[in-house]
Amino acid sequence: MSQAAREQELDQPVSLAALFVAFLKVSLYGIGGGGGLVWAGRIAVDQRRWITDQEFADIVSLCQFMPGPNIVGIAVCIGAKARGAVGTIAAISGFLVIPWGIGLALGLLYLKYAHLTVMRNILGGIAAAAAGLLIATGIRLLMPHRRRPAAMLFAGLAFALMVFSKLPLLVILFSLVPLGIAVAGIEAARAR
Amino acid sequence: MNSPSIALTAHLALLSSISFGGFPTVLPDVRNFVVTTHRWMTDQEFADFFAIAQSIPGPNMILMMSFIGWKVWGFPGAVASAFATFGPPCAIYFAAYRLWDRFRNAPWQRIVRLGLVPVTMGLVVASGTVMARAADTGWRAAAVSIAAAVILLGTRLSPLWLLVAGGGLGGLGLLR
């Protein structure tokens, strides 16, 4: 798709109902934690084209730095991008109201049957697939940076520190990100 | 509102405002508050709430806090805990995004992006890996995770089918 056509498509006004439904889906499909990220990208970038891959990566990164459930932050930002404050309210309502009601009812029921083996097995299989989807989403959003060795180095460091060290996430973020930005600043200065 | 529910709601609102890196980072503090300090529930109940919240679709940390609120003060407690968990962060996210959007295309923003995005995407891949290990019941489950990642990257198949396939294989007992 040409740049102009893409921009025009991105400029179409987004209906509040569409935002509500999109984040209702993100919420209900995002089983097992972290999966919401996969679905938010799939729906808002690939299907609806409300935002570009780059804007999505920006939003995800921004939300890493904020307190609270990151996926709620993604709903807030995409809603704000599409329709401002009312868009945020539509996205958040879609994400929370119905799934919360279903989840609360299911959970109170499920507390009685949590010990059943077959339930545990099904949930284990879903969790394994969901983990793979999360990995693929991270790799896809890294792809635009693959030609920059510094970017690959920082992605690799972040991955390794998170998986193999016992350091808290905040320590990793606040040590790697300023370094990464400094290196990007030097690259930009050299390119000039 | 009775006084335990006010104390719980206020504490959750405070924690959600400082839960950098996602709500799971403040879970140990929640446990101290509701189990050790106030004895509103046992450790076993707290662990059950966690397991259930993780395994049903929807906003799982908000649901987990709602179960705790329910335990303390029934349905109104569940609603109050949910608002305390997502309300303050929503306001912060909205303000931060407005600020970021205002400086769209500024030269410094491009540099911040080039430095920031690779780190956070490395962390996303890492959290998928950590979850795969947590879910792991051996090489079969690992194979399901890898297959799901490769299929999502290489095809246009909906991720929903991959989750259904994973649940089906698990339910048949093939991942044990």
Side-chain angles (χ1 to χ4, degrees):
Chain A
M1 191 183 321
S2 77
Q3 186 66 28
R6 172 129 194 145
E7 302 231 317
Q8 195 186 17
E9 199 161 297
L10 289 170
D11 279 344
Q12 300 264 324
V14 176
S15 84
L16 295 177
L19 278 169
F20 183 93
V21 171
F23 280 96
L24 175 60
K25 283 188 191 165
V26 168
S27 190
L28 290 179
Y29 293 169
I31 191 166
L37 183 62
V38 176
W39 288 99
R42 175 104 184 159
I43 295 173
V45 182
D46 298 344
Q47 293 179 352
R48 301 301 197 122
R49 300 184 194 280
W50 288 330
I51 54 172
T52 62
D53 247 347
Q54 185 190 41
E55 285 168 325
F56 185 63
D58 279 1
I59 287 172
V60 174
S61 302
L62 204 60
C63 291
Q64 290 274 354
F65 269 91
M66 301 293 144
N70 292 347
I71 180 64
V72 171
I74 291 170
V76 168
C77 295
I78 293 178
K81 163 82 188 164
R83 287 292 297 272
V86 284
T88 290
I89 293 169
I92 285 295
S93 310
F95 189 77
L96 290 178
V97 176
I98 295 171
W100 183 83
I102 297 173
L104 192 69
L106 260 180
L108 295 173
L109 190 75
Y110 184 57
L111 270 168
K112 295 179 181 148
Y113 302 101
H115 55 280
L116 293 181
T117 318
V118 68
M119 288 298 283
R120 297 265 185 214
N121 282 348
I122 292 174
L123 294 169
I126 292 175
L133 299 181
L134 196 56
I135 293 170
T137 300
I139 291 176
R140 199 186 85 179
L141 293 174
L142 259 180
M143 289 311 274
H145 297 266
R146 69 182 179 281
R147 299 204 190 288
R148 288 177 51 231
M152 290 293 101
L153 173 71
F154 278 103
L157 272 176
F159 173 84
L161 286 174
M162 192 68 196
V163 174
F164 300 111
S165 81
K166 297 266 180 241
L167 290 175
L169 176 66
L170 264 192
V171 173
I172 299 174
L173 271 179
F174 282 96
S175 55
L176 285 185
V177 167
L179 270 177
I181 292 173
V183 170
I186 294 168
E187 282 179 343
R190 282 209 185 138
R192 224 171 268 142
Chain B
M1 284 172 97
N2 57 9
S3 74
S5 65
I6 292 172
L8 175 66
T9 307
H11 194 70
L12 289 179
L14 172 70
L15 286 181
S16 71
S17 306
I18 58 165
S19 60
F20 292 95
F23 205 78
T25 52
V26 297
L27 270 186
D29 192 284
V30 176
R31 197 203 71 89
N32 275 341
F33 192 76
V34 301
V35 178
T36 315
T37 311
H38 290 280
R39 295 166 194 268
W40 287 323
M41 63 201 63
T42 63
D43 247 338
Q44 181 62 54
E45 283 173 305
F46 189 80
D48 282 351
F49 290 161
F50 179 72
I52 290 164
Q54 287 297 319
S55 62
I56 45 188
N60 26 43
M61 280 302 120
I62 296 169
L63 275 173
M64 181 182 172
M65 296 309 122
S66 303
F67 295 148
I68 293 172
W70 178 283
K71 174 81 186 175
V72 174
W73 193 37
F75 186 74
V79 174
S81 295
F83 270 96
T85 308
F86 77 80
C90 275
I92 297 172
Y93 282 124
F94 188 75
Y97 184 69
R98 273 295 160 91
L99 203 63
W100 175 263
D101 206 39
R102 179 180 303 167
F103 292 103
R104 159 168 311 285
N105 300 327
W108 65 262
Q109 198 178 53
R110 204 183 84 85
I111 291 172
V112 170
R113 173 184 300 129
L114 287 176
L116 175 61
V117 171
V119 173
T120 50
M121 290 312 146
L123 291 173
V124 168
V125 176
S127 77
T129 309
V130 169
M131 273 178 49
R133 283 171 149 192
D136 204 353
T137 44
W139 64 269
R140 293 189 188 88
V144 167
S145 298
I146 294 169
V150 170
I151 293 170
L152 187 70
L153 281 173
T155 71
R156 303 184 66 84
L157 192 68
S158 168
L160 200 56
W161 295 115
L162 300 171
L163 294 177
V164 169
L169 289 172
L172 293 172
L174 296 176
L175 301 182
R176 285 273 144 207

